[in-house]
Amino acid sequence: MESVNNKTAAQNHDQTAIPQVLIVGGGHVGLSFALLLAHHGMTSTLLEKGRYPDISPDADPKRSHYLDSRNTALSRRTVQIYQEIGLWSALQSHACRIDSVQISEQGSFGAATLNKDEEQVESFGQVMENAWLGRELLLAAKASPLITLIDGASVQEVSETGDQQVSVGYTLSDNGADDTAMHTAKARLLVACDGRDSSVRQLLGISTVTYDYQQTAIVGVVETDKGHEHAAIERFSPAGPLAVLPLTDADGDGNDAQQQGHRRSVVWICPKGEEEQYLNDDAHFLQTLQQAFGQRAGTFIAAGRRGAYPLTRVLAQRQVQGRCVIMGNAAHTLHPVAGQGFNLCMRDAHVLAKMLKHQATHGGDIGNANLLKRYETARQRDQKRVIRFCDAVVHGFTHPNPLVKFARNGALVAFDKLPNIKPLVANYAMGLKA
């Protein structure tokens, strides 16, 4: 968004009628939540601290990686949510479906495979580069008359005004030049989607429970000489869980039957402090992947740009305070094992949007304390289950005790062979049993 629009939107906010919802944090979760609200006919204003790129629908659609080097595994439930709001048609061309999931441990006998035909599903999910997902979410938000975007906005104050409104004071940054003037945005409800280090959460005085995994995720894109055949490979090593996920060809359409499928998203977990050797030396990175995965993915022949992300679990001790809701990574930042974090956030957003729509339709106050408490309670079971699952996998598969190692490999074999277990796990992973 151009800076002139940034300032104009901020000035208009100080003078015009308030929107129904104010969203702080305009990443994938914040943009998705704004679009969910718009789908239900509700207005929102979104404040984003960073600056959005100046893009348009007719600009070069090739992957620009303007966000980062990461990719997102979208569960079937998340795909259904994007279908519901009419966005999946724009996303699908750059999505690569997961037809099978292969699970094993380095240097051990245990292995299991989930296959879409056996589970009678269209796919287990889709993998998409963050650059494309972010582009399409932003274009859709900019095109919606129900969404106001204000980027370069740093939140400084949060307060309730006493007249069924919440007020946010923020300053603006325009291409590196700070505007010290305080702008004000008001709404019936504030939803904070501003990430692990949420400024709103801190301003509200909501504490967190934090656990440092002492690990770093190296994330990027690699190429192999063997086509991925839409298989996701989950591999456990002494350092932590690893994953190689299928991606579309660099310039192709994910729906094209002629896709060669040599591009793969990779998540490599290493102990904290060892990341530089994997970031700066392509040959060493590829050799390390080869040793860990063997020939399951073929030969790793090229590596693209990579990023390093420290892994820390951060859980807000409460997700509702007054007329404010904490959502996304601000509420629960999880280990990336099994790709559950973003999909959990999307289920949170979907549930809250539906509850707000129902409340507004019946003339109720969308910032009502009882309503927001019902939302928090309704989401606790799904959230706690995902958190326990992620931690159990991380700690269970990195425990060095030989007896524990034997037990977990036996469990993998049992999971692969025993009937009626795979459908339960598959539905859980796809987000269909929230």
Side-chain angles (χ1 to χ4, degrees), residues 196 210-217 238-241 268-275 309-313 335 394-395 398:
R196 182 186 68 178
T210 302
Y211 177 81
D212 189 341
Y213 291 100
Q214 295 296 314
Q215 296 175 333
T216 299
W268 172 260
I269 308 296
C270 68
K272 183 184 291 187
E274 297 184 6
E275 54 269 16
Y309 304 91
L311 299 182
T312 306
R313 183 186 66 218
H335 196 285
V394 172
H395 294 301
T398 55

Side-chain angles (χ1 to χ4, degrees), residues 63 92-95 248-256 259 263:
R63 302 164 177 82
Q92 190 173 17
S93 66
H94 285 58
T248 58
D249 288 350
D251 297 312
D253 187 316
N255 303 308
D256 186 351
Q259 285 269 303
R263 296 176 75 243

Side-chain angles (χ1 to χ4, degrees), residues 377-389:
T377 301
R379 295 301 303 142
Q380 284 180 348
R381 180 183 177 187
D382 188 20
Q383 291 173 0
K384 289 179 178 178
R385 184 169 54 180
V386 170
I387 293 166
R388 286 195 301 266
F389 170 76

Side-chain angles (χ1 to χ4, degrees), residues 221-244:
V221 177
V222 297
E223 291 187 20
T224 57
D225 67 347
K226 175 184 175 182
H228 54 60
E229 298 178 343
H230 297 277
I233 305 174
E234 300 279 352
R235 184 84 161 147
F236 295 93
S237 77
L242 320 172
V244 171

